[in-house]
Amino acid sequence: MGKRWIGIDLGGTSMKLGLVDSHGNTVLEMEKPTLAQEGVDGVIGRMVSHARELAKEAGLRWADVAGVGVGLPGFLDVKAGVVKQLTNLGWHEEVPIRRLLEEAWQIPVKIDNDANVAALGEAWCGAGAGVDDVVCITLGTGVGGGLILDGQLLHGRYGFAGEVGHMTIDPEGHPCNCGMRGCLETFSSATGMVRMANEAIAAGRSKVLADVEKVGTKEIFAAAAAGDAVALEVKKRAIDALAQAMSALSVVLNPARFIIGGGVSYAGEALIQPLREAYAKRTQPNARQGVDVVLAQLGNRAGYIGAAGLLARERK
């Protein structure tokens, strides 16, 4: 039996754990509630026990696990292994999480941002497999990103690289949670698309969406397919903003592939085909030459696979 690694994708409501082999294949997975209300010690204690439980259910001794990678939804000092802030979990003070986990498990631990590990998962054995230069963009409640250049995850000086959701699209646009205005997130996230749709509904501009009990991106894409003018407008604004950001990333980073994931990406071809067209129209020919724009493949597994890959990819 080859080496095995555990990846943990820690979210505000649940943690996903996966036991992964050296090729990124899932051996066993589980999902458990985060129970953030239990505080830092409670959440870390649950991570420790659930990881051991996962190994045991797979028929492994803990000594058979080569290491654990953890994806975390917040601000981190990756090199130091320290959480600066996890707002979704109510962690507002620094937590030396790598040291605490290594002391509990007695094996190597690495941490990274949740969007980064999802990107790493896709780049390792998902939609980016075999490609060294990849930009992964996740369209969900917000807009996350991860940059893989020359096969390596890019962090930048303070770990902020890849925060594509906070690229400015319109300096006079809608306020963003980050404190700026008109960020990509305000246009192309599920939250941004729903906000734009609800504003139009409140103004009496969409009879189709007004009859929907609860508007989400699924309903927006369905209404657009049915020809609703407001839904078509919202969809176009979201796609154009994303294409604008991708165009800027192309001339700066020159990736070979853009991978689009997250809940909004479940729209499939209804999203990706017009996005390819908008990207081609907005991007300098040399910068877009040979660039693929594709949908993510790993779904909810990307986070824990990429987290495990923080160690597995360098320790084969």
Side-chain angles (χ1 to χ4, degrees):
M1 182 183 69
K3 290 184 177 181
R4 298 288 187 264
W5 292 264
I6 289 176
I8 302 177
D9 183 11
L10 184 67
T13 57
S14 68
M15 62 177 78
K16 299 176 182 68
L17 302 92
L19 184 70
V20 172
D21 69 15
S22 59
H23 300 290
N25 300 310
T26 299
V27 177
L28 187 66
E29 64 180 5
M30 66 168 53
E31 183 169 351
K32 298 288 186 178
T34 299
L35 301 182
Q37 67 272 19
E38 294 185 355
V40 173
D41 292 342
V43 172
I44 290 178
R46 290 170 60 75
M47 291 170 64
V48 169
S49 62
H50 290 321
R52 289 185 177 276
E53 178 186 350
L54 180 66
K56 185 176 181 180
E57 286 192 11
L60 300 180
R61 299 171 303 151
W62 186 249
D64 296 326
V65 178
V68 181
V70 184
L72 297 155
F75 297 101
L76 316 172
D77 183 335
V78 171
K79 292 178 181 177
V82 172
V83 169
K84 293 290 189 179
Q85 186 178 39
L86 297 186
T87 305
N88 291 348
L89 275 72
W91 298 13
H92 300 292
E93 297 180 357
E94 289 194 1
V95 178
I97 190 166
R98 185 178 67 201
R99 176 177 62 79
L100 295 173
L101 292 174
E102 287 185 335
E103 288 175 353
W105 284 323
Q106 294 296 302
I107 58 175
V109 173
K110 275 197 169 186
I111 68 168
D112 214 315
N113 176 271
D114 57 348
N116 281 346
V117 298
L120 189 62
E122 288 288 346
W124 181 20
C125 53
V131 180
D132 287 337
D133 301 289
V134 172
V135 172
C136 188
I137 301 176
T138 305
L139 309 175
T141 303
V143 174
L147 312 176
I148 312 290
L149 299 178
D150 291 330
Q152 301 298 314
L153 192 59
L154 187 67
H155 293 99
R157 184 173 182 183
Y158 296 113
F160 202 67
E163 291 288 346
V164 299
H166 298 293
M167 295 175 67
T168 300
I169 301 299
D170 177 6
E172 306 301 322
H174 193 272
C176 181
N177 289 333
C178 73
M180 304 299 285
R181 282 184 171 271
C183 293
L184 175 63
E185 193 165 287
T186 67
F187 291 95
S188 304
S189 67
T191 307
M193 293 180 70
V194 169
R195 174 188 54 78
M196 291 188 288
N198 283 332
E199 288 173 353
I201 293 168
R205 295 180 50 222
S206 174
K207 292 183 179 180
V208 173
L209 289 174
D211 291 336
V212 174
E213 184 175 344
K214 185 177 181 181
V215 175
T217 56
K218 182 179 178 181
E219 290 73 22
I220 292 170
F221 276 93
D228 180 68
V230 165
L232 286 166
E233 177 186 317
V234 169
K235 175 181 170 181
K236 185 177 187 304
R237 290 176 71 190
I239 287 173
D240 283 350
L242 182 54
Q244 182 178 332
M246 289 164 56
S247 176
L249 290 165
S250 286
V251 296
V252 174
L253 301 175
N254 192 212
R257 184 169 297 170
F258 285 97
I259 301 172
I260 311 300
V264 177
S265 74
Y266 295 160
E269 286 300 311
L271 168 70
I272 208 72
Q273 188 53 42
L275 177 59
R276 289 179 181 132
E277 294 169 1
Y279 168 72
K281 188 180 296 183
R282 287 176 172 270
T283 308
Q284 201 271 345
N286 288 330
R288 70 170 189 265
Q289 184 177 2
V291 178
D292 297 324
V293 181
V294 302
L295 292 168
Q297 295 178 352
L298 298 179
N300 289 334
R301 296 182 296 131
Y304 73 70
I305 289 174
L310 292 171
L311 290 137
R313 292 172 77 246
E314 69 178 19
R315 292 172 180 264
K316 288 183 183 180

